[in-house]
Amino acid sequence: MNKRKSKNKLNGWTWSVTSMLLAVLILSGCGSKSGGSIVEGKVNVITTFYPIYEFTKEIGGDEVNVVNLLPTGVEPHDWTPRSQDIVNTSKAQLFLYNGAGLEGWAPGFLKGLDKDTQVKPVEVSQGIQLIDAVGDDGHGHGEAAHEEEHDHSHEEGTEEAHAGHDHEEEAAETNTDTHHTDPHTWVSPKSALVMAENIKNSLIEVDPEHKDGYEQRYEALKEKLVKLDNDFKSELSKLPKKDIVVSHQAFGYLCRDYGLTQHAIMGLSPDAEPRAQDIVNLTKTVKEKEVKYIFFEELVSDKLAKTLANEAGVETLVLNPVEGLTKEQASSGENYFTLMEKNLQNLTKALQ
């Protein structure tokens, strides 16, 4: 028995050492392309999460080294930066963040940068008409957007985004709920177009010498985003149903721009706990609207979505808010466009 335990310990130790060696080899093989460090002689851009990272890589090309702060497989709502992130950002030329309250840590982070830094912070959601959502967001998520002055224009919510939300209307009548800016701008291709243009303009501002290249690559990205926008518009307009039930309230811009209504189990943050009355109302909505599928996400727990689906006697499907890639998605070459195309396929299936 003792020999077996010793053998298991040895095997475990050997596996740990092998894993660490493999990790070192992978990182050294990636070099500057791993997105982990500053590269001399290039425009260094720090991005806060995946969609901004992908768009910046596409527009920046070989002239730009993009360092993404959010690790693969991590959900962005609760993530906070490390000391090395402050060091890298202080040495960079651009710091691109979504804004609209997504990165609640950003104001303090920027104040903590080296006093001699030349980095230019850019809020890439500037120019998008933001949505004000009602309900508990879990941990003050979105409040930063209200504390600071922005040039955004805000919506109190359109009929497309909020009609039919009986559970949200009831929540608005309680004293515990407040308005929070919905930060999930990138989930709509229409908003992503604005973000891509802001990224392009910021690159040209810090590196005008390579303006032509940035413009050319931006036009290629814009063409793909316009096609995606047209696909969503064309396909979703044909469908008889317009109500979707989702894990967390991440699809407000998608719903507003393409005529859908979302009913969320959780709030703007996946950590915002639903109340018992919310679940009761959602179960009622599922039956009244003849909803066939409850949507869940891959970076957060699917427990509540599956519980609701079981209670209502329906099935589940993935609807990805594209806040980040899982490790499997990253290794298989998935990207913003492949994930959004899968979203469209699943929406089409659910809304028949």
Side-chain angles (χ1 to χ4, degrees):
M1 186 71 176
N2 290 334
K3 287 182 179 179
R4 184 179 297 176
K5 285 184 177 178
S6 299
K7 187 177 180 182
N8 287 341
K9 285 183 180 178
L10 180 59
N11 287 341
W13 180 83
T14 304
W15 175 250
S16 297
V17 171
T18 303
S19 298
M20 285 189 286
L21 286 172
L22 283 171
V24 170
L25 286 170
I26 290 168
L27 287 172
S28 61
C30 290
S32 63
K33 293 182 180 179
S34 67
S37 58
I38 297 297
V39 175
E40 294 295 329
K42 289 196 174 186
V43 176
N44 287 282
V45 182
I46 308 296
T47 60
T48 56
F49 77 125
Y50 174 71
I52 301 176
Y53 172 77
E54 181 177 334
F55 295 164
T56 306
K57 289 274 287 184
E58 288 210 31
I59 299 169
D62 293 336
E63 282 76 41
V64 172
N65 173 57
V66 189
V67 178
N68 194 41
L69 295 184
L70 193 72
T72 301
V74 175
E75 209 278 336
H77 289 83
D78 287 328
W79 180 84
T80 52
R82 308 159 302 166
S83 57
Q84 185 59 45
D85 299 324
I86 294 176
V87 172
N88 283 342
T89 304
S90 295
K91 296 176 181 178
Q93 285 72 52
L94 276 175
F95 173 70
L96 301 181
Y97 66 111
N98 187 73
L102 181 69
E103 303 93 344
W105 47 265
F109 178 82
L110 291 171
K111 288 177 184 175
L113 297 180
D114 189 282
K115 60 182 176 63
D116 297 322
T117 184
Q118 299 297 308
V119 70
K120 177 180 174 57
V122 176
E123 187 179 13
V124 301
S125 64
Q126 285 286 343
I128 296 170
Q129 190 174 31
L130 298 180
I131 293 172
D132 277 351
V134 177
D136 179 18
D137 67 356
H139 53 271
H141 174 67
E143 287 178 356
H146 289 283
E147 291 171 359
E148 295 183 343
E149 290 296 326
H150 294 305
D151 292 329
H152 294 296
S153 55
H154 286 66
E155 278 193 2
E156 289 300 318
T158 61
E159 290 182 6
E160 290 85 357
H162 295 290
H165 286 223
D166 295 334
H167 60 291
E168 290 182 5
E169 290 169 6
E170 290 177 13
E173 295 172 3
T174 70
N175 292 327
T176 57
D177 290 314
T178 54
H179 286 263
H180 298 277
T181 301
D182 184 344
H184 303 90
T185 53
W186 63 92
V187 187
S188 167
K190 286 186 187 299
S191 296
L193 279 161
V194 177
M195 296 168 69
E197 184 173 13
N198 287 339
I199 292 169
K200 180 259 296 182
N201 290 340
S202 67
L203 287 170
I204 292 173
E205 186 173 348
V206 299
D207 184 29
E209 183 181 345
H210 296 105
K211 176 182 177 180
D212 290 346
Y214 297 141
E215 291 278 9
Q216 184 177 357
R217 288 185 291 270
Y218 161 71
E219 288 298 330
L221 176 60
K222 179 182 176 182
E223 186 176 332
K224 291 195 292 183
L225 286 169
V226 167
K227 181 184 182 302
L228 190 64
D229 173 39
N230 289 334
D231 288 346
F232 267 81
K233 191 186 310 178
S234 172
E235 294 302 316
L236 295 180
S237 66
K238 300 174 187 174
L239 300 173
K241 296 181 179 178
K242 303 297 179 185
D243 292 89
I244 60 173
V245 178
V246 298
S247 291
H248 93 279
Q249 198 174 338
F251 302 94
Y253 295 92
L254 183 77
C255 289
R256 179 187 68 184
D257 292 340
Y258 303 104
L260 305 180
T261 298
Q262 72 171 339
H263 307 271
I265 300 172
M266 293 167 278
L268 291 172
S269 165
D271 287 339
E273 292 293 334
R275 288 160 295 214
Q277 188 59 42
D278 293 333
I279 299 298
V280 170
N281 287 336
L282 273 175
T283 305
K284 182 181 177 183
T285 298
V286 168
K287 292 176 180 177
E288 287 180 350
K289 303 290 185 181
E290 298 182 345
V291 171
K292 296 178 182 177
Y293 295 91
I294 308 295
F295 288 110
F296 69 95
E297 303 165 24
E298 291 146 310
L299 288 179
V300 298
S301 172
D302 61 359
K303 184 178 178 181
L304 281 172
K306 289 190 173 179
T307 298
L308 179 60
N310 287 334
E311 295 245 349
V314 297
E315 298 181 59
T316 57
L317 274 177
V318 172
L319 192 62
N320 197 321
V322 203
E323 294 175 339
L325 300 178
T326 65
K327 291 178 181 179
E328 292 75 18
Q329 288 167 342
S331 63
S332 64
E334 297 275 17
N335 58 44
Y336 177 87
F337 292 95
T338 62
L339 295 180
M340 287 297 290
E341 285 161 2
K342 287 178 180 178
N343 279 347
L344 180 56
Q345 291 170 9
N346 285 348
L347 283 169
T348 302
K349 181 178 181 178
L351 295 172
Q352 294 287 351

